[in-house]
Amino acid sequence: MFWGSAFKPFIVPRFQRDQLMKTQLKTKRIWNFSAGPATMPPKVLAQLGDDLINVDSTGIGILEHSHRMPTFDRVLGDAIDSCRQLGEIPNDYEIIFVPGGATVQFSLIALNLIPDGATADYPDTEIWSAKAIIEARDAVPTATIAVPFEGKKFHYDHVPVAGEMIPTPGAAYMHYCSNNTVHGTRFHLPPTAAPGTPLVCDASSEIFGRPMDWKKHALVYAAGQKNFGVAGMCVIIAHKDVIRKPVRKLPSMFSYAAHLDAGSRINTPPTFAIHAAGLMFRWMIEQGGIREMEKRNNAKAALIYKEIDGSGGFYRGLSRLECRSAINVSFRLKNEDLDQKFAQEATDAELDGLIGHRDAGGIRASMYNAMPIEASKALAQFMRDFMRRNG
């Protein structure tokens, strides 16, 4: 509803908005295989659309609500509670929402967790872990950022296996990216750090897509735009003893402890992103929770890997078999021209976002938690048809 001397009240009855949303979602949606921002469930999108205008029957939209008022108290509380339930997160781990994406955390983690003169291990398994190394070194130049595994030497086709990585004794932590989106690799088990060294995990591309062994981790972080909502916000899940004790005095916006003490509201937080996250958490719980997400993700990936493995070399995966991702399936065709033709024809067939990352080329199908299996079936069918026409 809009008011003003030159305007008459403008009201779209709720049943009309609902019908319009259903029609648009039914007739105008295509399959979105983008690496992020990524697919969201129609049910969540419809609720967000309604809440833009009127959330909780307050007559005010979520974008307009004060972050200090009861409505947002409820939104934030629901998001934290649903996150804990979905992720099966122990009570001795804190949950906060912070502004910015995962790249912001590359610096903040180092600032909060690496003392001057200490060492932290950062195995390099792809572009995002490589960027984390650079940012950590710049953030704390008085510390040592050790790289016990250099995946670039292997064209990032695998994560370290036994004997390939020698962790640093006494390291403050080991930072790793659990699922690597560009080349489509994954740690099927957490890496082995030196005894007593906790893990810090960038789980942006697979958080809530499979269970996490929380007791091995000091901190887990993830950006919202792949698995639980929209860009501009990260969730930080950290043990109380870690998050409450930064290793140096920091400006409040850089300090996880300060964010915790302020209840994720040092300043005006990304309110819409937090609301979207809460709705996504609840949607995943309704679908059966984290184990159901894992089951679905494995099934979606298996459909595409079956086409790759059965193509006689027409399609070639970028990752080794033993560390394939169930979230991002990356592959190439015989040459770059065929890659481009595949991507264009797929787009024409309403299979969007399949062009591979610039660092790897080829094709990449990103199938995050909200992607239905029907999309993977459609892509598998397209792959068969394309090979028949071009093989």
Side-chain angles (χ1 to χ4, degrees):
M1 181 179 295
F2 302 91
W3 290 271
S5 59
F7 298 92
K8 294 181 179 179
F10 176 74
I11 303 174
V12 180
R14 178 165 183 159
F15 77 91
Q16 291 184 10
R17 295 200 307 271
D18 290 348
Q19 188 59 45
L20 178 63
M21 182 66 71
K22 290 177 182 177
T23 300
Q24 288 179 331
L25 292 177
K26 181 178 180 181
T27 62
K28 295 187 178 181
R29 302 285 287 175
I30 65 174
W31 299 127
N32 175 22
F33 290 93
S34 169
T39 288
M40 293 177 67
K43 179 179 179 180
V44 171
L45 292 173
Q47 184 65 57
L48 286 172
D50 197 46
D51 291 346
L52 284 173
I53 299 171
N54 182 2
V55 63
D56 287 357
S57 300
T58 59
I60 302 174
I62 183 62
L63 294 178
E64 307 161 279
H65 260 285
S66 168
H67 61 294
R68 302 293 183 189
M69 297 302 286
T71 294
F72 190 71
D73 290 343
R74 195 277 305 165
V75 166
L76 179 59
D78 283 358
I80 292 173
D81 291 345
S82 297
C83 179
R84 190 176 300 279
Q85 180 183 347
L86 171 65
E88 301 174 1
I89 300 167
N91 289 330
D92 53 349
Y93 283 71
E94 301 282 8
I95 300 168
I96 57 173
F97 298 105
V98 297
T103 303
V104 175
Q105 312 316 313
F106 296 164
S107 298
L108 298 190
I109 286 166
L111 288 169
N112 280 267
L113 302 185
I114 309 177
D116 294 334
T119 296
D121 280 345
Y122 277 68
D124 175 20
T125 54
E126 206 176 71
I127 176 175
W128 300 114
S129 56
K131 288 186 175 182
I133 291 167
I134 294 170
E135 295 293 322
R137 284 173 172 164
D138 288 344
V140 189
T142 56
T144 298
I145 305 301
V147 184
F149 174 77
E150 297 184 36
K152 190 173 183 179
K153 294 179 179 179
F154 308 98
H155 305 288
Y156 293 127
D157 69 350
H158 71 288
V159 297
V161 297
E164 282 190 303
M165 183 169 67
I166 301 175
T168 303
Y173 61 83
M174 175 181 282
H175 174 283
Y176 75 106
C177 185
S178 60
N179 183 81
N180 299 284
T181 60
V182 176
H183 291 79
T185 63
R186 170 194 253 186
F187 283 89
H188 287 284
L189 295 172
T192 301
T197 299
L199 297 174
V200 171
C201 179
D202 176 358
S204 291
S205 56
E206 65 163 7
I207 195 162
F208 309 123
R210 58 170 171 162
M212 171 71 69
D213 187 347
W214 295 106
K215 293 304 181 183
K216 290 184 178 180
H217 294 82
L219 185 149
V220 175
Y221 66 102
Q225 70 271 16
K226 298 177 185 294
N227 278 313
F228 62 97
V230 300
M233 181 269 290
C234 265
V235 64
I236 308 294
I237 305 167
H239 194 276
K240 292 179 179 181
D241 292 344
V242 173
I243 199 169
R244 291 187 180 279
K245 297 178 181 178
V247 298
R248 59 180 51 82
K249 184 174 176 56
L250 295 168
S252 60
M253 288 300 292
F254 295 177
S255 168
Y256 292 140
H259 282 279
L260 178 63
D261 290 341
S264 297
R265 289 183 277 193
I266 287 178
N267 64 343
T268 304
T271 54
F272 181 78
I274 292 172
H275 182 46
L279 295 179
M280 284 295 299
F281 297 150
R282 275 188 274 162
W283 177 82
M284 285 185 271
I285 292 169
E286 291 169 359
Q287 300 303 302
I290 197 166
R291 285 168 176 75
E292 178 61 23
M293 292 297 104
E294 180 180 35
K295 179 181 177 182
R296 293 183 185 186
N297 290 337
N298 289 341
K300 289 180 289 185
L303 289 171
I304 309 307
Y305 285 127
K306 179 180 178 181
E307 299 304 322
I308 294 171
D309 295 341
S311 71
F314 184 80
Y315 299 113
R316 296 177 291 109
L318 302 189
S319 63
R320 295 185 187 178
L321 296 179
E322 67 271 15
C323 60
R324 281 175 163 176
S325 170
I327 306 296
N328 308 95
V329 179
S330 296
F331 58 93
R332 291 195 183 99
L333 286 82
K334 293 180 180 179
N335 54 61
E336 188 173 342
D337 289 342
L338 209 54
D339 288 341
Q340 294 177 355
K341 183 178 182 182
F342 180 100
Q344 183 58 59
E345 291 189 11
T347 300
D348 294 342
E350 299 188 339
L351 304 167
D352 197 49
L354 286 163
I355 297 175
H357 189 278
R358 61 185 177 275
D359 284 5
I363 305 298
R364 173 175 56 174
S366 297
M367 297 169 287
Y368 299 112
N369 293 347
M371 177 70 83
I373 196 167
E374 288 76 14
S376 300
K377 290 178 180 178
L379 176 57
Q381 181 62 55
F382 176 82
M383 292 173 70
R384 290 193 292 272
D385 293 343
F386 188 86
M387 186 174 69
R388 175 179 52 80
R389 290 183 282 107
N390 295 276

